[in-house]
Amino acid sequence: MKLVRFGEAGHEKPGIVDAQGQIRDLSGTIPDITGATLSAESLARIRAVDPDTLPLAPAGQRIGACVGQVGNFIAIGLNYADHAAETGAAIPAEPIIFNKARSCIVGPNDDTILPRKSEKTDWEVELAIVIGERASYVGANEALDFVAGYCICNDVSEREFQIERGGTWTKGKGCPTFGPLGPWLVTKDEIPAPQNLSMWLDVNGERMQTGSTKTMIFNVAQIVSYVSHFMILEPGDVITTGTPPGVGMGMKPQRFLKAGDVVSLGIEGLGEQRQRVVAFEGSALDTSKHHRGH
């Protein structure tokens, strides 16, 4: 299934994509797409509903982040062998874990706001895992049992904040609008080979990233297992799993986003995102005007 959330920011409704690619309103079946509705039992109930019997979502609706009320938003750094090579970094012996702020989560087509005084905002197309069952100390051989599905994440990153400001990477990863998720949460039954998905990212129509999840250093099952040894993963948590080569930081000369740029990205089977880059204006808390239509 392809699950989706549509409507104004903060007031999204749950939906499902039918065989014709139209969004159907799931509000009569579940209240929202959150951890509470991502268990295997809940997904089975949704699967039992014939989408053709559901009302169509109104045309032109904004698409929200494909999962709401995210608890932990975890990211894995330097997890593609070819990306590690472009940055000159050694292959990590264990997964590098950092946090993205929950407050950076936005819809897949909402604007990306450059942080105040940012000069090094970068792009990263990533496969994100959505957790469906509570996971603690799980083995890699059973880890996929705890996964509800997958989505696209653009792990937008401010490299000066991340690398040159001391402390942890988290500083450059959680700025407002730095976590677009979606358009869809695709249940794992539709993605039987998560380690063989092609992925791409364009800036202003120019191809920057071309990659595949097959070059991940630590695979989906290993990541879920590993993270679960350091924290309890709850339903609705999101783990974004690293990016292939082609980020701005790795270019010679380096290249970063500026106001007016348009970033488009996609992963095989998971849809596409498109973000317009805009300058910081006034309060970053007022992001409502940056939530775009469908």
Side-chain angles (χ1 to χ4, degrees), residues 71-129:
N72 291 304
F73 190 9
I74 306 299
I76 308 297
L78 289 174
N79 193 38
Y80 280 67
D82 37 7
H83 172 55
E86 79 169 338
T87 63
I91 299 291
E94 297 189 38
I96 295 169
I97 300 176
F98 60 91
N99 286 80
K100 285 180 76 76
R102 295 168 54 192
S103 55
C104 80
I105 295 173
V106 289
N109 306 314
D110 290 343
D111 291 346
T112 295
I113 303 172
L114 295 173
R116 188 162 61 183
K117 300 184 178 178
S118 165
E119 305 212 346
K120 296 185 178 180
T121 295
D122 205 348
W123 54 83
E124 296 191 3
V125 58
E126 304 201 358
L127 171 70
I129 305 163

Side-chain angles (χ1 to χ4, degrees), residues 225-269:
S225 171
Y226 186 85
V227 175
S228 80
H229 283 70
F230 297 96
M231 67 190 75
I232 294 172
L233 291 169
E234 300 281 7
D237 286 354
V238 174
I239 307 173
T240 190
T241 60
T243 199
V247 299
M249 178 178 67
M251 295 181 174
K252 294 184 174 73
Q254 292 182 331
R255 176 170 171 178
F256 297 110
L257 295 171
K258 59 187 184 302
D261 286 346
V262 174
V263 180
S264 305
L265 56 149
I267 297 179
E268 182 181 353

Side-chain angles (χ1 to χ4, degrees), residues 70 147 151 176 234:
V70 173
V147 173
C151 66
E234 300 281 7

